[in-house]
Amino acid sequence: MEFLSVTLGSKSGVVREDSVNLMASDNRSKSGWRPQMSVWWIGAAAVCVGFLLLILILAVVAHNSKAIGHQDSKCENLISSLIMDRDALRDERDQMKVNYVNLTKEMEVLQSQYNAMAVSRDALQEEVNRFNVSKKDEPCPQGWKTFKGKCYYFSSSGLTKSWQSSRTDCQGRGADLVIITTKEELEFVVRSFPITWIGLSDLETENKWKWVDGIDLIGDGFWQEGEPNNNKDSEDCVEVSRAAKRFNDVACGYRFSWACEK
Ligand SMILES: [Ca+2]
Ligand SMILES: [Ca+2]
Ligand SMILES: [Ca+2]
């Protein structure tokens, strides 16, 4: 209506403008619906796109929130586990401290005992050394005779005993019946008495001669000729006579003088 009234009131010069306007108006009237429709569609599409973007953003946010929540849960579990491990390690460390203190005390006690024992050992060693020295230098007891570093006791003159009683007497003096291992020792022993018991017998096994220290008689010994003869199957103990200066087996119950050695 506005375009039409302008067209009617105008002059020739204006008519062209009007014509133009009319044409323009006519052209708009013919093609004007297209831009309007395009704008509408574009707007609608934009709204839809925006709406879709909004939905997408919300979905992403929701998804991320869920993922973050899951991650948070895992982190909490991990932290809780680490805290428990830390506490366990603290307990273990504290227990080790206690053990260390106890072991240290125990070690100190043991060290103290060791030191005391070492002192006691040294004192005993010194005592043993002194005893050995004094023993080495000690002369034979009073009433004993010395021969080549050994001590000999000869029974009192006129006193006689059986072989076993003679041996018991020697043992009571911290010695035993004499063991004769050399010709010199034999000659030394036979001087004192007509007949002397010595520490040789076959009491354990017949004709197996053994000294009182458990050692077998080595070699032929210093037997008289024809001895040992085990006369009447009753001779198991050995004597030496001053006259023969040799060994002879006789019955153990005979009573003779005796000689001890230590
Ligand atoms: Ca001897
Ligand atoms: Ca015999
Ligand atoms: Ca005999």
Side-chain angles (χ1 to χ4, degrees):
M1 288 300 287
E2 182 182 0
F3 292 128
L4 184 59
S5 63
V6 170
T7 301
L8 290 174
S10 65
K11 296 180 180 176
S12 61
V14 179
V15 168
R16 284 196 296 269
E17 290 179 4
D18 292 342
S19 299
V20 173
N21 288 338
L22 282 172
M23 286 177 68
S25 178
D26 187 53
N27 287 337
R28 278 199 297 271
S29 66
K30 287 180 180 176
S31 59
W33 63 275
R34 288 177 180 167
Q36 286 178 356
M37 287 297 289
S38 296
V39 168
W40 188 84
W41 278 109
I42 288 168
V47 168
C48 287
V49 169
F51 189 67
L52 286 171
L53 280 174
L54 181 62
I55 291 171
L56 182 62
I57 289 167
L58 289 174
V60 168
V61 169
H63 176 74
N64 287 342
S65 297
K66 189 176 180 182
I68 289 169
H70 185 63
Q71 289 292 331
D72 287 348
S73 177
K74 285 177 70 177
C75 283
E76 286 175 2
N77 290 337
L78 181 61
I79 289 168
S80 176
S81 176
L82 287 170
I83 289 172
M84 288 175 68
D85 289 346
R86 182 202 63 190
D87 292 344
L89 285 170
R90 280 181 177 170
D91 292 344
E92 197 171 344
R93 181 200 61 190
D94 294 343
Q95 187 58 46
M96 288 179 76
K97 281 182 179 177
V98 171
N99 290 344
Y100 173 77
V101 170
N102 290 339
L103 283 171
T104 302
K105 288 179 181 174
E106 199 171 337
M107 187 187 70
E108 289 173 355
V109 170
L110 286 171
Q111 185 65 49
S112 175
Q113 289 177 345
Y114 172 80
N115 293 338
M117 288 182 73
V119 170
S120 178
R121 178 203 61 196
D122 293 343
L124 280 171
Q125 187 61 53
E126 286 182 13
E127 197 171 335
V128 167
N129 293 340
R130 281 198 300 272
F131 176 77
N132 288 335
V133 169
S134 63
K135 186 182 178 187
K136 189 177 179 182
D137 297 339
E138 185 180 285
C140 292
Q142 190 172 8
W144 291 58
K145 293 180 179 177
T146 304
F147 181 76
K148 293 186 181 289
K150 302 295 291 288
C151 298
Y152 296 82
Y153 173 81
F154 293 92
S155 57
S156 301
S157 181
L159 185 62
T160 59
K161 289 180 182 289
S162 67
W163 186 88
Q164 187 59 58
S165 295
S166 300
R167 188 181 183 195
T168 302
D169 178 81
C170 291
Q171 289 171 332
R173 301 174 188 277
D176 210 330
L177 282 171
V178 64
I179 295 173
I180 298 174
T181 52
T182 65
K183 194 164 180 285
E184 292 76 16
E185 189 175 22
L186 172 63
E187 291 174 349
F188 167 72
V189 170
V190 299
R191 287 180 205 156
S192 298
F193 307 113
I195 297 177
T196 309
W197 282 126
I198 64 171
L200 186 63
S201 75
D202 70 342
L203 284 165
E204 288 185 10
T205 305
E206 177 57 35
N207 205 35
K208 191 165 184 182
W209 299 96
K210 187 177 283 190
W211 293 106
V212 286
D213 63 356
I215 304 298
D216 291 341
L217 176 67
I218 299 171
D220 295 334
F222 301 104
W223 294 106
Q224 293 182 37
E225 192 173 344
E227 305 293 345
N229 61 355
N230 197 35
N231 189 31
K232 298 181 182 176
D233 197 22
S234 62
E235 298 184 336
D236 295 334
C237 296
V238 178
E239 49 85 5
V240 289
S241 66
R242 183 190 292 156
K245 296 177 183 165
R246 288 279 170 171
F247 296 174
N248 177 34
D249 60 336
V250 294
C252 299
Y254 286 174
R255 296 175 68 95
F256 298 130
S257 302
W258 66 95
C260 310
E261 179 186 1
K262 70 174 179 180

